[in-house]
Amino acid sequence: MRFLISKQTQFHSSSPSHLISHHQPLPPNSQMEALLLSKPAPHFKFSSKHKHSSPLFTFPTQSLRLQPLNTTSFTFRAIQNQGQQIFQDTPAPIDNQDESYGEVKGIIGSRALEGGKGMEYLIEWKDGHEPSWVPSDFIAKDVVAEYETPWWTAAKKADESALKQLIDADDDRDIDAVDSDGRTALLFVSGLGSEPCVKALAEAGANLDHRENSGGLTALHMAAGYVRPGVVKLLVDLGADVEAEDDRGRTPLDLAKEILNATPKGNPMQFGRRIGLDSVIRSLEGAIYEYAEVEWILEKRGKGENLEYLVKWKDGGENEWVKAKFIGEDVVRDYEAGLEYAVAERVMGRRDGDDGKPEFLVKWADMEQPTWEPKENVDPQLIQEYEEAQNTSPP
């Protein structure tokens, strides 16, 4: 289905045919946070076609230990079974809480669980057993922290140098590692507005459409919600899904429009913010809509929010009923003023009217007799063709 967009986002022509469009946490931000917590607002879904360097982590020389779920009742022993590392639960004496649970030499890899519900790590054992994957819940928090802290510090500060250094280390670290809320580094740097960090993560294979667990937001939602026009455009160019919905059914475009509506118009302090949101919205709409020409409006029906117009497309597409709010204001204005459109074949002559303004003799496709029309009623391209022909004609 095609949809016309508002006057602000469409191109206009002085000809009878009008170019219109159809349907093809992070830094503190009180307005976005308020919207995230407020009740869902109605929306439309269109079907379509940063700063201090963090040192890199180095493993300490001392041994590290696995942490049991409950040190008073269970211990997890690393045992060898037919060449594979496995774990088994065995009762442990309550008075023997210092028993070794399996010494760890270091973490040598990471990967996110399905759906971003947690992490597991590839453990290198001090006793020479084959490395094995262990869920984060079974590993001492200080061990995980020493491995993960440099990564999250770089992401949450949008530290391009530190982030690239970690990426280039090629140490089997999951580029889509998640924190406790299921957020990836890409979501953080997108909300912070760091185009270089976004590009670095994308080039390393980051999932552009990953949804965090606390609200279903994607990197594009973060960039739109925190008003980062440059990152929005970059993510769109990289192929991020502009119609991905959060848990409340909002696309990034819906979110940006909500925030724009909540941003005061008359406050000078909010002027730059409104400009940024306009830019975000244009980028998202440009990715969702494609442009087509309409000849005219044929009919209308309904009232208020249900007002619709029957649109005739210039490309021969089937006439469609379109909501009034999606139609360019100039197109509606001409229809309501009773103006009729016709297809001009060519301009045959020129003269000055009674008011001194130029008029052109137009040959119409559906009329036998040509008529004199004011300049504003004639396609500029036809006027140009006529004038060029006159200039090249022999005297």
Side-chain angles (χ1 to χ4, degrees):
M1 172 177 274
R2 307 169 185 231
F3 287 91
L4 312 185
I5 60 174
S6 64
K7 183 178 182 180
Q8 289 82 352
T9 55
Q10 67 178 348
F11 297 98
H12 301 285
S13 168
S14 57
S15 67
S17 297
H18 298 266
L19 189 63
I20 55 181
S21 152
H22 78 82
H23 204 242
Q24 358 176 333
L26 291 158
N29 184 312
S30 59
Q31 289 178 336
M32 182 177 178
E33 289 170 357
L35 286 169
L36 293 178
L37 296 173
S38 61
K39 294 181 179 179
H43 68 281
F44 292 91
K45 180 189 175 190
F46 304 109
S47 60
S48 68
K49 23 176 199 179
H50 290 91
K51 303 184 185 215
H52 301 289
S53 179
S54 302
L56 293 177
F57 168 68
T58 56
F59 285 106
T61 56
Q62 68 268 27
S63 298
L64 304 174
R65 297 185 303 169
L66 287 178
Q67 173 180 282
L69 290 178
N70 185 334
T71 57
T72 62
S73 59
F74 290 94
T75 181
F76 289 82
R77 302 177 185 272
I79 63 174
Q80 192 75 12
N81 181 16
Q82 297 180 351
Q84 293 185 341
Q85 190 71 35
I86 63 171
F87 290 89
Q88 68 177 16
D89 295 353
T90 57
I94 294 178
D95 60 351
N96 188 12
Q97 297 184 23
D98 293 330
E99 182 180 350
S100 175
Y101 305 123
E103 290 184 309
V104 176
K105 185 176 181 180
I107 296 178
I108 57 175
S110 67
R111 65 188 182 192
L113 299 177
E114 185 177 356
K117 300 299 183 181
M119 293 290 298
E120 58 183 8
Y121 298 93
L122 185 59
I123 300 298
E124 183 179 11
W125 302 101
K126 187 176 180 181
D127 61 8
H129 286 318
E130 287 294 320
S132 55
W133 289 98
V134 181
S136 59
D137 289 344
F138 298 162
I139 306 174
K141 292 182 179 179
D142 59 335
V143 178
V144 175
E146 288 190 84
Y147 177 80
E148 291 285 21
T149 295
W151 178 256
W152 293 114
T153 298
K156 293 178 182 180
K157 289 185 177 181
D159 187 333
E160 179 189 359
S161 176
L163 202 58
K164 283 186 174 180
Q165 198 171 359
L166 286 162
I167 292 172
D168 294 341
D170 194 22
D171 58 356
D172 291 326
R173 181 187 298 273
D174 190 346
I175 203 73
D176 290 318
V178 295
D179 68 1
S180 58
D181 291 319
R183 291 180 175 174
T184 64
L186 182 63
L187 269 72
F188 280 99
V189 300
S190 296
L192 289 166
S194 175
E195 295 174 48
C197 287
V198 170
K199 187 175 181 180
L201 289 167
E203 289 176 348
N207 180 2
L208 301 179
D209 301 319
H210 173 81
R211 300 171 73 248
E212 49 89 38
N213 297 330
S214 60
L217 302 176
T218 66
L220 203 48
H221 281 94
M222 290 291 187
Y226 286 105
V227 197
R228 311 298 186 186
V231 172
V232 168
K233 185 178 185 306
L234 176 58
L235 286 170
V236 169
D237 291 343
L238 289 170
D241 184 2
V242 294
E243 293 187 290
E245 296 182 353
D246 64 12
D247 289 349
R248 288 169 49 186
R250 298 173 304 180
T251 66
L253 178 59
D254 296 329
L255 178 59
K257 288 182 175 180
E258 277 190 41
I259 297 174
L260 180 61
N261 291 335
T263 303
K265 293 183 179 180
N267 187 345
M269 300 295 291
Q270 299 293 337
F271 182 69
R273 181 176 180 78
R274 291 187 64 86
I275 291 178
L277 284 165
D278 283 336
S279 179
V280 166
I281 290 170
R282 284 197 301 273
S283 292
L284 294 171
E285 285 183 332
I288 295 173
Y289 300 103
E290 59 185 17
Y291 294 92
E293 287 183 295
V294 65
E295 289 197 57
W296 55 74
I297 294 174
L298 301 172
E299 299 178 43
K300 75 173 183 178
R301 68 185 182 189
K303 295 181 179 180
E305 293 185 357
N306 296 321
L307 179 61
E308 296 179 321
Y309 292 93
L310 183 61
V311 174
K312 177 177 175 60
W313 299 98
K314 188 175 181 180
D315 63 7
E318 184 178 353
N319 299 342
E320 293 178 275
W321 287 99
V322 180
K323 291 287 187 181
K325 62 182 177 181
F326 296 123
I327 302 179
E329 294 176 4
D330 55 347
V331 180
V332 174
R333 184 171 55 249
D334 289 348
Y335 173 79
E336 296 294 352
L339 296 181
E340 296 182 358
Y341 297 118
V343 179
E345 290 185 343
R346 60 191 175 93
V347 172
M348 304 173 61
R350 182 189 185 282
R351 73 181 184 186
D352 291 333
D354 295 338
D355 56 1
K357 295 181 179 180
E359 295 180 344
F360 295 89
L361 186 62
V362 178
K363 176 67 174 71
W364 302 98
D366 59 349
M367 296 175 58
E368 183 176 347
Q369 295 297 323
T371 61
W372 288 99
E373 300 292 337
K375 183 177 181 179
E376 57 267 25
N377 288 357
V378 184
D379 188 336
Q381 182 63 35
L382 295 180
I383 294 176
Q384 181 180 347
E385 292 174 359
Y386 169 77
E387 293 176 343
E388 289 177 351
Q390 295 299 306
N391 291 334
T392 57
S393 298

